[in-house]
Amino acid sequence: MSGEIILQAVVSGLLMGLIYALVAVGLSLIFGLMEIVNFAHGEFLMLAMFASFWLWALGGLDPLMSLPLVAAMLAGAGLLVHWGIIRHVLDAPMLAQVCATFGLAVALRAGAQFLWTPDFRVVADPLVAGRVQLGPIFIGQPQLVAGFVCLAAFVALWLFVTRTETGLALQATSQDRQAAAVMGIPTDRMSALGWAIGLGCVAVAGSMLSTFFYIFPDVGTNFALLAFVAVALGGFGSILGSLVAGVLIGLIESLGGLLISPSYKTLIVFALYLAVVLVRPKGLFGRF
Amino acid sequence: MADDPTLKLEAARAQPLWPRPPAWAVALGLAAGGFLIAYPAIFPSPFSLHLMIMIFLYALMAQSWNVMAGLSGQISLGHAMFFGIGAYAASVLFAKYGVSPWIGLLVGMAISALAAAAVGLPTLRLKGHYFAIATLLIGSGVQIVFSRWEWVGAASGLYIPIERTSPWLSFQFHGAKTPYYFLALGAAALGYLLVWHLRRTRFGFRLQAVRDEPEAAASLGVAVSGHKVLAFMLSGAMMSAAGTFYAQYVLVLDPERLFSLDISILVLLMTVLGGSGTLWGPALGAAILVPLSEYSRIWFGGTGRTVDLIVYGILIVLICMFRPRGLLSLIEDRLRRREGERA
């Protein structure tokens, strides 16, 4: 096997990994704030992709153009989910919390299947198409743009969380909810903000994904499963951890598919989860 | 004299743990049992038998999920893997080696219990969400493996060869649904009896202690994660038995269907709807949801599946928000209020 093929796999794994990372960071943020695992995360990714698709199909807007709109829609959905469902199960036993988001996932996926049929769709004429040659390797331009947008979103999120007062309040709530409340931080509003940001991140990832990936009701499932692994690997609640873990998973999946077997590449990542849980349950950057 | 600890212990032992069921409950139970035994004679149509077979089967599956979630407080999102393992173990042994599915049933249960231990040992000593995610990932991983595994037919699955000589040995009754009906009823009854008994044993009490107060249980010397693993093994074995039965009933192995997330979702939903942690909650959930999905399949034809899943999803969310203890708790609360009035 030549070095070029491996290099090719590394680059495409890296770019895909950035998308995984952005999906994962929303999950991690929400978990960090209220210890709730959002099992409907993949379904929101699917909704973002369908939103991009319909804005393109009916409104003629390219996913790159409609990105802010889709992000706003999903952030709104995040607020709605927090206000309508999550707030009511915050003090409930874990069973109720898991089943609430899991039930939401079931309803959203089945609803999408009912409304839009299980057909595969694509955005047929994206603004950015084709590929570029960089030395011996080829990179799809949509993937490249997607990678850059995801990275930019990460930088923006990082700056927001570390440099603004609201961001610091968010971090404080994530570290110690009670202490934050005592300091006068409106922790409920911070949770709502976490949902808005978390689903906003998913919206960016979904918009970008819709420029080069098939769009169908089940599309979110696999991304969500990978995001769970990324969150465990990076450490529940850690933003930086999600970035590193997402990229790592992209690389492992891509190289594993190349070196071992493409049909088992997802399994390799799943096995990674068990390895993390066995060896270092708090993940790379996590606070257990 | 009154402070003699042995006397106190004797007195505590003599006191029944639960109040004796009232006469109306005993009568109702006997009537229900009689009705279920007479059912095939009253409603002999294939559809009405099929409906009840599926209710019994799902009641058993939901109960197996309940052993894990209701008794030990751990949420499995990949229970379909045990269902599939049970179906494959018995059917592959029968199709390839001519081994009776009754032996396959036990083999499947053993494999499922081992698989449960393998999943549970690393994840169950951590917080609950690690386990829930692990089961979700492994459930879908097992499906990937079975739909690529050539020896068991990969994605197209396997057909179980028709055997006409000895129906009881080969677990095949073909057109006749009544034997399946009684086998399913028997399997479900055995499962419920087992859990009823389990809830009254030391092991069952320790499990409930682990669920409600893990720290307190640990401080009293209960091996918390060990108990969870044992409960998961038992739960997996029960689910596996249902899988074996289902495969012999439909005579087709389809990895897409046997390992599907839908099955994991359904057993969760039925238990949570009826009341997780209760003995009859899973059965109540199955008795409500199985007819709903069978009839919606008839009404909506091909699209029915998605319609009932929408309703189910919304139902779980609502139950979690407003009745986390399930529908049975409505009756329970009313009974308790009446007791209170009387006292």
Side-chain angles (χ1 to χ4, degrees):
Chain A
M1 192 171 297
S2 68
E4 277 123 59
I5 299 178
I6 294 180
L7 192 64
Q8 178 80 55
V10 166
V11 171
S12 46
L14 209 71
L15 291 175
M16 207 59 191
L18 283 168
I19 291 184
Y20 295 154
L22 202 57
V23 177
V25 76
L27 203 59
S28 190
L29 199 69
I30 291 169
F31 183 84
L33 279 169
M34 54 200 100
E35 301 239 328
I36 284 183
V37 177
N38 178 18
F39 282 99
H41 215 62
E43 278 60 40
F44 286 108
L45 182 78
M46 176 270 291
L47 286 184
M49 290 176 77
F50 266 107
S52 300
F53 174 80
W54 287 117
L55 284 170
W56 166 80
L58 303 176
L61 269 177
D62 188 80
L64 267 177
M65 300 292 135
S66 65
L67 176 71
L69 199 61
V70 174
M73 281 159 68
L74 266 279
L79 291 179
L80 200 68
V81 169
H82 178 262
W83 178 79
I85 300 172
I86 302 304
R87 171 172 87 93
H88 302 280
V89 296
L90 265 185
D91 299 321
M94 195 187 126
L95 179 66
Q97 297 178 341
V98 169
C99 294
T101 59
F102 201 64
L104 184 65
V106 172
L108 289 177
R109 192 165 52 223
Q113 226 159 67
F114 182 71
L115 283 177
W116 304 315
T117 72
D119 291 348
F120 283 46
R121 297 158 202 266
V122 282
V123 172
D125 56 343
L127 205 60
V128 182
R131 54 186 192 174
V132 288
Q133 192 176 4
L134 266 182
I137 58 167
F138 293 94
I139 306 171
Q141 280 192 31
Q143 281 89 335
L144 199 61
V145 172
F148 272 113
V149 172
C150 288
L151 204 58
F154 248 103
V155 172
L157 180 65
W158 182 253
L159 288 179
F160 169 74
V161 169
T162 54
R163 299 288 154 85
T164 67
E165 201 163 316
T166 318
L168 289 174
L170 201 71
Q171 268 189 313
T173 311
S174 176
Q175 272 164 20
D176 190 330
R177 203 179 173 85
Q178 272 177 338
V182 170
M183 304 307 281
I185 294 170
T187 49
D188 273 348
R189 229 181 281 169
M190 287 299 133
S191 305
L193 182 67
W195 275 88
I197 296 176
L199 295 199
C201 289
V202 161
V204 175
S207 282
M208 291 297 98
L209 207 54
S210 68
T211 58
F212 63 91
F213 209 82
Y214 295 109
I215 300 160
F216 56 100
D218 243 346
V219 66
T221 312
N222 204 37
F223 282 91
L225 292 179
L226 293 177
F228 288 135
V229 183
V231 172
L233 178 61
F236 280 92
S238 164
I239 293 177
L240 191 65
S242 310
L243 177 62
V244 174
V247 171
L248 261 177
I249 284 171
L251 284 175
I252 291 169
E253 193 193 42
S254 166
L255 286 172
L258 180 71
L259 301 174
I260 301 171
S261 153
S263 50
Y264 288 113
K265 63 178 186 179
T266 327
L267 276 189
I268 301 165
V269 180
F270 291 176
L272 181 70
Y273 176 85
L274 279 191
V276 171
V277 164
L278 260 177
V279 179
R280 196 181 157 84
K282 68 174 183 171
L284 296 173
F285 299 86
R287 40 172 185 117
F288 199 50
Chain B
M1 195 55 190
D3 289 331
D4 188 347
T6 47
L7 269 187
K8 265 189 177 170
L9 193 66
E10 287 298 316
R13 283 218 177 114
Q15 207 161 49
L17 280 171
W18 279 278
R20 194 169 284 281
W24 64 262
V26 176
L28 200 73
L30 285 176
F35 172 73
L36 288 181
I37 289 171
Y39 182 90
I42 310 170
F43 304 101
S45 83
F47 177 74
S48 52
L49 286 175
H50 170 76
L51 193 66
M52 289 305 270
I53 291 170
M54 294 315 283
I55 290 177
F56 295 148
L57 215 52
Y58 269 107
L60 178 62
M61 289 152 71
Q63 185 62 271
S64 99
W65 192 83
N66 189 36
V67 167
M68 197 51 196
L71 289 184
S72 83
Q74 298 297 308
I75 298 151
S76 159
L77 300 177
H79 244 55
M81 71 178 139
F82 303 122
F83 187 71
I85 288 173
Y88 268 85
S91 313
V92 168
L93 279 176
F94 180 67
K96 302 226 182 223
Y97 305 107
V99 178
S100 163
W102 291 102
I103 295 168
L105 174 81
L106 300 176
V107 174
M109 288 169 79
I111 297 175
S112 290
L114 285 178
V119 178
L121 279 173
T123 52
L124 281 170
R125 59 198 169 94
L126 304 168
K127 277 187 192 167
H129 53 262
Y130 280 98
F131 174 71
I133 294 173
T135 52
L136 189 61
L137 291 173
I138 291 167
S140 102
V142 170
Q143 183 174 34
I144 296 176
V145 169
F146 274 90
S147 45
R148 308 260 198 284
W149 191 2
E150 290 296 336
W151 189 65
V152 295
S156 48
L158 274 184
Y159 284 92
I160 299 169
I162 304 290
E163 176 71 60
R164 290 195 185 278
T165 46
S166 46
W168 284 97
L169 196 64
S170 60
F171 212 132
Q172 287 181 17
F173 307 97
H174 314 293
K177 283 207 190 286
T178 312
Y180 284 119
Y181 174 92
F182 282 110
L183 277 175
L185 178 61
L190 261 181
Y192 276 68
L193 210 62
L194 178 74
V195 174
W196 174 77
H197 176 71
L198 181 73
R199 287 158 57 98
R200 316 172 55 120
T201 58
R202 273 165 187 278
F203 178 66
F205 278 110
R206 289 203 203 105
L207 274 182
Q208 291 169 60
V210 161
R211 174 194 68 192
D212 296 331
E213 293 289 345
E215 279 90 9
S219 76
L220 289 172
V222 177
V224 171
S225 58
H227 275 72
K228 289 179 187 167
V229 174
L230 279 176
F232 194 38
M233 291 170 71
L234 179 68
S235 170
M238 275 175 76
M239 189 75 178
S240 173
T244 302
F245 182 91
Y246 180 76
Q248 312 316 308
Y249 179 55
V250 298
L251 294 177
V252 184
L253 288 178
D254 172 12
E256 280 298 314
R257 186 134 144 232
L258 291 173
F259 290 102
S260 82
L261 187 58
D262 289 355
I263 289 179
S264 304
I265 294 169
L266 272 175
V267 294
L268 172 156
L269 175 59
M270 285 167 186
T271 312
V272 174
L273 180 71
S276 94
T278 64
L279 180 63
W280 293 107
L284 178 67
I288 295 172
L289 292 186
V290 170
L292 213 65
S293 81
E294 293 289 334
Y295 278 109
S296 79
R297 196 167 300 160
I298 295 171
W299 287 331
F300 294 99
T303 59
R305 249 169 55 93
T306 55
V307 177
D308 54 87
L309 279 176
I310 300 175
V311 178
Y312 290 178
I314 296 171
L315 217 57
I316 319 184
V317 176
L318 291 178
I319 283 277
C320 288
M321 282 166 61
F322 302 111
R323 269 274 144 194
R325 279 162 57 227
L327 289 180
L328 261 192
S329 71
L330 285 172
I331 306 172
E332 201 186 342
D333 285 354
R334 175 159 300 180
L335 281 180
R336 197 158 291 160
R337 218 173 299 144
R338 201 174 293 168
E339 297 260 301
E341 276 162 18
R342 223 177 283 156

